[in-house]
Amino acid sequence: MEKNDFTSSISAKISAGEAVKRISNVPEWWGITFSGSAEKQNDKFIVKMGGDSFFNFTVAELIPGKRIVWLITDCNMPWYSDKKEWANTKLIFDLAENNGVTELKFTHEGLTPDVECYKDCAPGWTHWIKTSLFSYFTTGKGVFRPPSR
């Protein structure tokens, strides 16, 4: 069966090594409450988006300059009927550097059009990757906006 996982891509004039550092500095580009560390493999961190929501992450894979995989080990999304919808999904950042320009392909493995949050999460991820993370890569500042809920 074909997977329709959400993907988004950007390219920026930044080294892949610096891109990994900036992705790992989560609060600078993702407008959330953050605790823990996302800098090396097996690090654990928690993201909160207000209210009773939380997302527990483990850095499942980190290949310097190439790939970061964050596994969502637990979550609570109180605004959806399936409050655990993101549990056991992965956020994957694949990087490729060429002549000083790094291409990033972001995939939220498990976020597909048939899950309830897709209608909110797809535009959310599009903003956080194409606008905020891109801005952080190119200007050193993310672009925050109020959460959609």
Side-chain angles (χ1 to χ4, degrees), residues 39-96:
E39 294 174 15
K40 54 190 188 305
Q41 190 155 328
N42 300 317
D43 275 0
K44 295 185 184 329
F45 62 98
I46 299 169
V47 164
K48 295 186 178 191
M49 295 181 184
D52 296 336
S53 73
F54 70 85
F55 302 84
N56 294 351
F57 289 87
T58 297
V59 179
E61 186 177 350
L62 199 153
I63 302 168
K66 298 275 184 218
R67 182 173 234 234
I68 302 170
V69 178
W70 295 341
L71 172 66
I72 301 164
T73 57
D74 193 15
C75 66
N76 182 44
M77 301 167 71
W79 45 86
Y80 296 114
S81 55
D82 180 358
K83 295 170 184 5
K84 302 285 184 192
E85 195 166 84
W86 280 21
N88 298 311
T89 67
K90 292 178 181 173
L91 306 185
I92 302 167
F93 302 83
D94 284 309
L95 301 127

Side-chain angles (χ1 to χ4, degrees), residues 12-26 28-29 62-66 68 95 97 100-102 104 133 135-141:
K13 196 170 171 82
I14 185 174
S15 73
E18 183 61 24
V20 166
K21 268 194 214 158
R22 291 191 182 194
I23 291 165
S24 299
N25 195 357
V26 182
E28 292 299 316
W29 62 271
L62 199 153
I63 302 168
K66 298 275 184 218
I68 302 170
L95 301 127
E97 184 180 345
V101 173
T102 295
L104 164 69
L133 187 58
S135 176
Y136 186 40
F137 278 4
T138 57
T139 71
K141 289 239 177 270

Side-chain angles (χ1 to χ4, degrees), residues 1-5 112-114:
M1 186 172 145
E2 187 183 344
K3 291 286 270 180
N4 294 316
D5 294 317
T112 59
D114 58 332

